[in-house]
Amino acid sequence: MAGVGKSALALHVAHTLRDRFPDGQLYVNLHGATPGMTPLTPAQALTALLRDLGAEPRSIPEHPDAAAALLRSLLAPSRVLLMLDDAASAAQVRPLLPAGPGCAVIVTSRSPLTVLDGARRFPLGPLTGEDSAALLRAVSGREGLDAGHALIELTGRLPLALRVVAARLAARRALIPDVLAGQLAASGSRLPHLEYDDLSVRRSLAVAHDALAAAEREADRDAALALRRIGDLDLPTYGALLVARLTGTDERRAEAALDRLVDVALLEETEYGRYAPHDLVRDFARELAGAGTGPAAGTDPDLTALRWYAAAAERVLTAVVEPGLDQDDRRRPTSAQPPGHAADVAALPVFESTDQAIAWGDMELENVVALVGRNAGTADEHRAAALSVLARLFFPYVRRCGRVAEMEVLGRAALDAARGLGDAAAEAYALGDLAGLHFLAGRQNDALVLTDEALAIWRRLGRISWIRRSLNNRGLLLEGLGRFAESGDALRQSLAYSRQLNDPYGEAVTHSHLGNLYEHTDPRAAIERHRRSLAIGDAIGAVIVRHSAHCNIGYAHLTLGEPAAAARHFEESLRILGDHGDWHGESQTRLGLVRALRRLGETGRAALECAELLRRADARADRYMGGLARHQHGLLLREQGRRTEARDVWHAALAALDGTDEQAVLEELRELVAGTPVC
């Protein structure tokens, strides 16, 4: 990219290779991206090289092909190193290449030049922190600067930006590095601070954009427009479909535009089909957006993106949530949802499987959270309505994947938006979703309060299906809190509503929760209730119901002291689930399997399963499940005689579970840490 130090590195290499090319070295600046200069034509470059080789101006052919042939003949018997600096394209370079085996060429370019035969590419990225600090010290003369200084990251570790900062520090001895870092951090754009004398990061970046904008090729002009739209919206990463929506083009043109931005080093392809700008390019794109070259009057990039993501999230919902009332209710518009909210269908992703939908969600989650987070509390009714729809439709995916931190951002923003809009149904959705967050975090009392608030709204609105769902969740929470009689009442009411609605999925889930309730008094009866749930799941082909039933049967067998039977059901649960995506169910099943294997004396396998559970929990920042897994990990360490390590792990488990309603486990952990024997 611009300012990454291509020319400096190439010149350094050329000087170190001087002895290997005794017949000389040739240098020509092709001005492919020089501010204020037009790139040299091949004919102009050939003329310069032939003159350097001693050719008389009168003897240099006017036709480029003839001039190229003369260059090759002059170089054929020699050992000469050519440096072609700042090439615009392969077409500019190709006529300048010698034919002799003793010659070599170093080319620098923002373009990858992959079509040059026999070329070896050496892509350059920003410097490491240590190298950045070394450059700063060498140019500025300030010895105290190390890799941890704020200036390193504020310059994006880009050599040109580092040289500008170092030059400013060298010129003004009274300017303190911390003060300069504060100026860079406090400004909306760092680029005004990254200009000194003839060095300018902005000018260097502008060359590539301006050339694209003025080009005749459609892909180049699309690329310039795409960069401006990226500055308008400013998200962490981009894909072709979103850019197509932002630019008003189609997926093919958006892909071509993004590829061109990669070609001229204004974007980086971080993984296949995902693009992101360097931090300073991001600043440059924001400046373009703010300079009147941004969106047309009357358009709102955030609103466009919120609506596009909402439309895409609806497709994720239909792929992730099994058909039935759960899916239908989520898709039903609320009072504040505008008609025709969906974006252009042609610019939306298509999912042929649950796995594809989850993969798309994983890829776009950072963008969705950033977009929702910065629009939380917006006073704009259109944005608030679009945010509310997006959060409601995307939440089941986030919950399935166990992304607790992201659930909180979406849930709280959705609740604020719904209340600001006076949208009762959207408020109840958000309350229920936040209750789910508290449940996954082990805070069942908090979840119960929100569930009851949502239930009151659904009763007022007369929405039977959501009354049933809230009662079902209420029963589950009350069972976990030990309020068994109230739990039974709520679950039996939920079961009656399921039958009234002819909702087999809801009925199966309630049977499962009733089984969990019965486990406290009659585990055999609990197993029969879970088998009723399993039978319904088999009949309707509901993966989540089937895997949950086997998981719950496994826990009932653990209660009965039958770990071998429990392990079989936990393994079957994981087999059924596969990659379907249900973190709560998967984590509970893996936790049960660890407990069963430990009781069977299969400590080696139990340790492997526990390590995998911990890895997955920590990857999701799931402190609650991480705490429960560390509890088991400590027990396994104790059984290996590693008591000191076990106590450290239990301390970590206590810290993770602090503030949850997991009282029995917390009490056991306190006894374990204190050294009291626990069976």
Side-chain angles (χ1 to χ4, degrees):
M1 64 175 291
V4 80
K6 299 179 293 296
S7 298
L9 177 62
L11 285 168
H12 173 75
V13 171
H15 284 301
T16 63
L17 295 174
R18 184 187 303 273
D19 293 342
R20 293 176 55 182
F21 297 93
D23 295 322
Q25 295 180 316
L26 298 174
Y27 172 90
V28 61
N29 190 334
L30 298 174
H31 296 300
T34 304
M37 296 196 69
T38 302
L40 294 186
T41 65
Q44 290 172 321
L46 284 164
T47 298
L49 288 170
L50 289 168
R51 284 177 176 172
D52 288 344
L53 287 170
E56 288 291 333
R58 291 175 303 186
S59 65
I60 298 175
E62 293 184 5
H63 197 283
D65 289 347
L70 177 59
L71 177 68
R72 288 194 294 271
S73 66
L74 290 174
L75 292 176
S78 64
R79 295 183 61 81
V80 171
L81 176 66
L82 279 72
M83 179 171 165
L84 307 177
D85 197 12
D86 194 17
S89 66
Q92 186 188 33
V93 169
R94 195 174 286 110
L96 313 181
L97 301 179
C103 295
V105 185
I106 297 174
V107 186
T108 71
S109 180
R110 298 188 191 184
S111 178
L113 306 182
T114 52
V115 296
L116 287 177
D117 294 336
R120 294 181 59 191
R121 295 182 62 233
F122 295 88
L124 297 184
L127 298 178
T128 65
E130 291 295 338
D131 286 344
S132 298
L135 177 57
L136 269 183
R137 290 193 298 269
V139 179
S140 71
R142 308 291 180 96
E143 292 300 323
L145 295 168
D146 58 28
H149 198 278
L151 281 174
I152 302 298
E153 290 307 314
L154 286 168
T155 55
R157 296 178 285 111
L158 191 69
L160 176 58
L162 288 162
R163 285 184 62 86
V164 171
V165 166
R168 293 184 64 189
L169 291 172
R172 295 179 58 194
R173 303 305 298 177
L175 179 59
I176 300 169
D178 288 351
V179 171
L180 182 53
Q183 293 173 353
L184 285 168
S187 60
S189 172
R190 286 164 284 187
L191 298 182
H193 298 281
L194 296 178
E195 294 184 347
Y196 190 79
D197 201 353
D198 65 339
L199 300 178
S200 170
V201 174
R202 179 194 283 114
R203 285 201 305 271
S204 187
L205 294 170
V207 172
H209 167 265
D210 294 349
L212 291 171
E216 294 182 3
R217 291 177 56 199
E218 179 183 71
D220 287 0
R221 296 195 305 276
D222 285 349
L225 176 61
L227 186 64
R228 297 195 294 272
R229 294 297 180 261
I230 285 170
D232 292 332
L233 186 58
D234 196 16
L235 290 178
T237 62
Y238 297 84
L241 286 173
L242 175 58
V243 170
R245 181 65 180 146
L246 294 172
T247 58
T249 59
D250 56 30
E251 184 179 8
R252 179 196 61 79
R253 285 178 59 182
E255 285 178 346
L258 290 166
D259 287 342
R260 283 296 293 136
L261 289 171
V262 171
D263 285 344
V264 298
L266 287 173
L267 284 185
E268 178 186 358
E269 192 171 17
T270 55
E271 58 181 293
Y272 181 73
R274 300 301 295 178
Y275 303 83
H278 181 275
D279 285 351
L280 297 180
V281 177
R282 194 180 291 278
D283 280 1
F284 176 69
R286 291 192 197 108
E287 285 193 359
L288 290 174
T293 55
T299 64
D300 181 339
D302 272 29
L303 179 59
T304 298
L306 285 165
R307 288 178 171 171
W308 183 84
Y309 274 115
E314 187 167 7
R315 294 192 169 193
V316 174
L317 177 74
T318 59
V320 170
V321 177
E322 289 159 323
L325 284 176
D326 281 5
Q327 184 188 119
D328 295 342
D329 283 347
R330 286 245 172 207
R331 297 176 66 185
R332 187 171 291 115
T334 62
S335 62
Q337 185 170 334
H341 71 92
D344 179 8
V345 173
L348 291 173
V350 176
F351 308 120
E352 297 179 357
S353 67
T354 300
D355 291 353
Q356 288 183 2
I358 289 175
W360 184 89
D362 292 345
M363 189 167 56
E364 295 287 356
L365 180 59
E366 184 182 16
N367 278 358
V368 171
V369 171
L371 187 62
V372 168
R374 75 173 179 231
N375 282 283
T378 178
D380 185 289
E381 291 187 2
H382 298 294
R383 286 195 191 187
L387 185 157
S388 176
V389 175
L390 169 57
R392 185 176 80 245
L393 296 174
F394 202 55
F395 204 91
Y397 149 77
V398 182
R399 183 179 60 233
R400 283 277 183 91
C401 295
R403 307 300 291 260
V404 177
E406 291 85 351
M407 287 172 65
E408 184 157 12
V409 173
L410 294 179
R412 295 199 182 284
L415 184 59
D416 288 345
R419 287 174 171 168
L421 292 164
D423 188 336
E427 180 181 358
Y429 278 116
L431 287 166
D433 287 339
L434 281 171
L437 161 66
H438 288 309
F439 171 69
L440 288 180
R443 300 189 296 269
Q444 292 168 329
N445 276 303
D446 293 338
L448 182 61
V449 171
L450 296 178
T451 298
D452 285 347
E453 288 184 37
L455 177 59
I457 295 174
W458 293 126
R459 287 190 190 279
R460 189 170 74 246
L461 295 175
R463 295 281 291 275
I464 301 299
S465 59
W466 274 96
I467 294 171
R468 179 214 64 81
R469 196 172 292 108
S470 296
L471 285 167
N472 185 70
N473 293 338
R474 188 172 198 274
L476 174 66
L477 294 167
L478 289 166
E479 178 266 322
L481 292 168
R483 295 162 61 177
F484 301 142
E486 295 171 85
S487 172
D489 288 343
L491 292 173
R492 281 186 285 273
Q493 290 179 57
S494 179
L495 190 61
Y497 279 124
S498 291
R499 289 167 177 165
Q500 177 184 333
L501 292 164
N502 190 26
D503 178 12
Y505 188 94
E507 183 177 347
V509 173
T510 305
H511 280 307
S512 177
H513 292 170
L514 282 167
N516 293 338
L517 177 62
Y518 293 170
E519 189 182 315
H520 295 281
T521 55
D522 188 349
R524 296 291 179 199
I527 290 173
E528 288 308 309
R529 185 64 70 161
H530 292 313
R531 290 196 182 280
R532 292 176 69 177
S533 178
L534 179 59
I536 296 173
D538 287 337
I540 64 175
V543 171
I544 299 299
V545 168
R546 293 168 58 223
H547 113 80
S548 296
H550 280 288
C551 173
N552 289 326
I553 291 170
Y555 274 101
H557 279 297
L558 278 181
T559 301
L560 289 164
E562 299 168 353
R568 288 194 297 273
H569 282 283
F570 290 134
E571 290 165 347
E572 178 64 9
S573 176
L574 290 174
R575 186 196 68 77
I576 291 170
L577 185 61
D579 296 324
H580 198 74
D582 177 21
W583 170 241
H584 174 67
E586 177 195 341
S587 60
Q588 289 292 338
T589 304
R590 289 187 183 277
L591 183 67
L593 182 57
V594 170
R595 290 176 55 188
L597 293 171
R598 188 170 62 80
R599 292 189 190 182
L600 287 168
E602 297 185 33
T603 54
R605 189 175 163 212
L608 289 174
E609 291 288 348
C610 193
E612 180 63 14
L613 176 59
L614 266 172
R615 184 187 69 79
R616 295 181 181 227
D618 289 347
R620 291 168 170 80
D622 187 342
R623 287 174 53 81
Y624 174 62
M625 184 50 62
L628 295 177
R630 284 177 171 81
H631 171 217
Q632 295 299 315
H633 181 42
L635 295 175
L636 288 165
L637 288 171
R638 184 185 65 175
E639 290 172 12
Q640 298 171 18
R642 298 157 65 182
R643 293 182 176 273
T644 301
E645 294 174 68
R647 189 168 283 108
D648 290 341
V649 171
W650 288 327
H651 272 295
L654 268 173
L657 295 174
D658 184 43
T660 71
D661 296 313
E662 205 62 53
Q663 296 304 319
V665 176
L666 284 166
E667 184 58 34
E668 180 179 335
L669 283 167
R670 293 187 187 102
E671 292 175 357
L672 288 165
V673 168
T676 306
V678 176
C679 297

